[in-house]
Amino acid sequence: MADDTDPSDSRRSDILTHEVGVSDLNVGAIGVGEAAIDEIPPSGRLPPPDGSSSSGLLRATRAQRLALIAGVLVVGWLALELFASVLTPFVAAAVLAYALDPPTTRLTRIGLRRGGAAAVMVLALIAGVLLFALLLYPLLLLQIKLLATRIPQYAFLLQGWASEQLTHLQDNFGSDVVNDKLRDVVSSQAASLLSVLLSTATSVVTSGFAIFNVLTLAIVTPVLGFYFLRDWPRMIAIVGAWVPRRYAEVIEAQAREVDRILSAWVRGQAMCCLILAFFYASGLTAAGLDLGLIVGLAAGLLSFIPYVGSVTGGVTAIGLALAQFPDWRHVGVVAGVLVAGQILEGYVIYPRFLGDRVELPAVWVIFALFAGGAAFGFVGVMLAVPVAATIGVLARFWLRRYLASPLYLDPPVRSPEVL
């Protein structure tokens, strides 16, 4: 029987078949296309066309994901390296907006608009800082002047103490170990140590660049904080819309875990630092320590770094008490205030405001703060705890996946017994 099919129709059919195959391949390579949106299986993966292997397709998709992650990390690293000197007010404003977002959201629930609630919170924060500064500024200035006038006295006492200790060592171990020249050098260096520290601190504080940075933080940060706080829900929604839909549920779950840990740490540490600063400042001042206000505030505010605030405040307070009081009774009172602060911190304040909600070990926080400061300066210090919390959450997530994977659960292969 003769074939009546027109050769041109056959040629057109081949061309259409070829075009459909190319179209299907392109849709599969992109991931999800509008033409095949109704044919997506529940697994979220398109079947390979014509039964071909999908290994090359999966390799391309995995390569795209890895390239995206690597690109984001590289761009973030370069941005921190290039703009670290000007990012301080922006990072501080973002931290401020993150901390003030919950009370701002509560104000919106009672009828205030988001912009008005953000303005109320920022103005309340500025008023609190100004009130704190106006009340404590005269006392702080008085104690700073007192410290400057007592530096020579402390240097003389330190010189005498060093000379006495070296003389005692020379009497016990002989002049071969500790000679007169070494004693004179150590005594003179101990006398000039405090003067060098004071002049260095004064030059840093009074330098023009430091004043410019302080003014920038004081003026620009509240303005940026208002805009960040006003647009915070919108920014979170935009970033959430950028998350790949395939991994949206997993990424959102990990982001909520990071937010839970980070919010508990930030707000808990803020309350702990304020309470400890008030306790140490009032306690050391009531104990009669002349510089108790400065030492107490510094010890409390540095408590966000584990062990740094307590060690620094304790050593400084005991040293000043030994230089100021002629008897051991007042030194014991100062030591008692420090011990009471440690008991209050360990058994009352930290369990109440932090407890087991914060899964940030002290060693990990210390390493993150030092690593961030070494890499990016003050900006790195501010970003250290959020990055540490994120890395901790991701590490625990991948550890759970590993413990539930065949790589961990597969039993060992036993060789057959030899009869």
Side-chain angles (χ1 to χ4, degrees):
M1 180 177 183
D3 189 2
D4 297 335
T5 305
D6 189 357
S8 61
D9 294 338
S10 176
R11 189 179 300 108
R12 282 196 299 268
S13 177
D14 294 340
I15 293 174
L16 289 175
T17 302
H18 176 72
E19 289 178 352
V20 170
V22 173
S23 177
D24 292 342
L25 181 60
N26 289 337
V27 169
I30 294 172
V32 177
E34 296 181 357
I37 193 69
D38 296 331
E39 301 176 2
I40 300 176
S43 62
R45 297 181 180 178
L46 288 174
D50 299 332
S52 60
S53 175
S54 62
S55 59
L57 194 62
L58 293 178
R59 279 199 300 269
T61 306
R62 187 178 298 111
Q64 291 173 1
R65 294 197 298 266
L66 294 177
L68 177 62
I69 295 174
V72 171
L73 293 178
V74 170
V75 170
W77 183 274
L78 291 178
L80 288 176
E81 286 286 348
L82 295 176
F83 306 109
S85 59
V86 298
L87 283 178
T88 301
F90 295 90
V91 176
V95 173
L96 184 67
Y98 177 78
L100 295 179
D101 178 62
T104 305
T105 304
R106 295 190 187 99
L107 289 179
T108 59
R109 291 172 183 171
I110 63 176
L112 285 179
R113 301 187 61 172
R114 184 74 188 188
V120 168
M121 293 305 303
V122 173
L123 290 176
L125 179 65
I126 294 175
V129 172
L130 290 178
L131 181 62
F132 181 80
L134 290 176
L135 290 177
L136 292 182
Y137 178 74
L139 296 176
L140 291 175
L141 187 61
L142 180 62
Q143 294 212 349
I144 291 174
K145 290 181 179 179
L146 180 62
L147 177 62
T149 56
R150 288 195 174 182
I151 287 293
Q153 177 185 353
Y154 294 150
F156 178 76
L157 292 175
L158 182 61
Q159 180 182 6
W161 178 80
S163 179
E164 181 181 354
Q165 295 300 318
L166 288 175
T167 302
H168 180 69
L169 291 176
Q170 187 177 17
D171 294 338
N172 291 334
F173 297 100
S175 58
D176 295 336
V177 178
V178 182
N179 52 28
D180 295 335
K181 184 177 180 181
L182 177 62
R183 185 179 62 184
D184 295 339
V185 169
V186 172
S187 299
S188 61
Q189 292 299 324
S192 60
L193 177 61
L194 292 179
S195 300
V196 172
L197 291 177
L198 179 63
S199 61
T200 303
T202 304
S203 63
V204 169
V205 172
T206 58
S207 63
F209 188 69
I211 294 176
F212 175 76
N213 284 337
V214 171
L215 292 177
T216 301
L217 284 175
I219 296 174
V220 178
T221 301
V223 178
L224 294 174
F226 165 74
Y227 286 109
F228 275 121
L229 187 58
R230 186 194 65 180
D231 299 332
W232 191 261
R234 189 184 309 168
M235 292 188 298
I236 297 299
I238 291 175
V239 174
W242 292 344
V243 175
R245 297 297 92 191
R246 180 177 180 180
Y247 307 102
E249 185 177 354
V250 175
I251 293 176
E252 288 173 2
Q254 304 312 308
R256 286 193 297 268
E257 181 69 10
V258 172
D259 175 68
R260 182 188 68 82
I261 294 175
L262 190 58
S263 61
W265 192 90
V266 170
R267 297 177 185 113
Q269 283 288 355
M271 293 300 300
C272 292
C273 290
L274 291 177
I275 294 175
L276 288 175
F278 175 78
F279 177 82
Y280 283 130
S282 58
L284 293 177
T285 302
L289 192 65
D290 290 338
L291 301 173
L293 181 62
I294 293 179
V295 175
L297 290 177
L301 296 179
L302 288 176
S303 296
F304 76 96
I305 307 176
Y307 309 113
V308 172
S310 58
V311 172
T312 303
V315 172
T316 305
I318 294 297
L320 293 176
L322 290 173
Q324 177 181 343
F325 301 116
D327 54 5
W328 287 97
R329 184 174 65 86
H330 291 85
V331 177
V333 172
V334 172
V337 171
L338 297 172
V339 172
Q342 288 299 301
I343 295 175
L344 182 66
E345 175 184 354
Y347 293 96
V348 178
I349 298 177
Y350 269 68
R352 170 65 179 82
F353 293 102
L354 292 175
D356 298 331
R357 296 172 297 171
V358 180
E359 302 175 11
L360 286 175
V363 176
W364 180 231
V365 173
I366 294 175
F367 172 79
L369 291 171
F370 277 92
F376 305 109
F378 187 65
V379 174
V381 172
M382 289 191 290
L383 293 175
V385 175
V387 172
T390 304
I391 293 176
V393 169
L394 294 179
R396 286 188 290 271
F397 170 72
W398 285 109
L399 179 60
R400 290 193 299 267
R401 293 196 59 174
Y402 162 70
L403 294 178
S405 66
L407 181 64
Y408 175 77
L409 295 176
D410 279 352
V413 178
R414 296 181 180 181
S415 59
E417 296 181 359
V418 180
L419 297 178

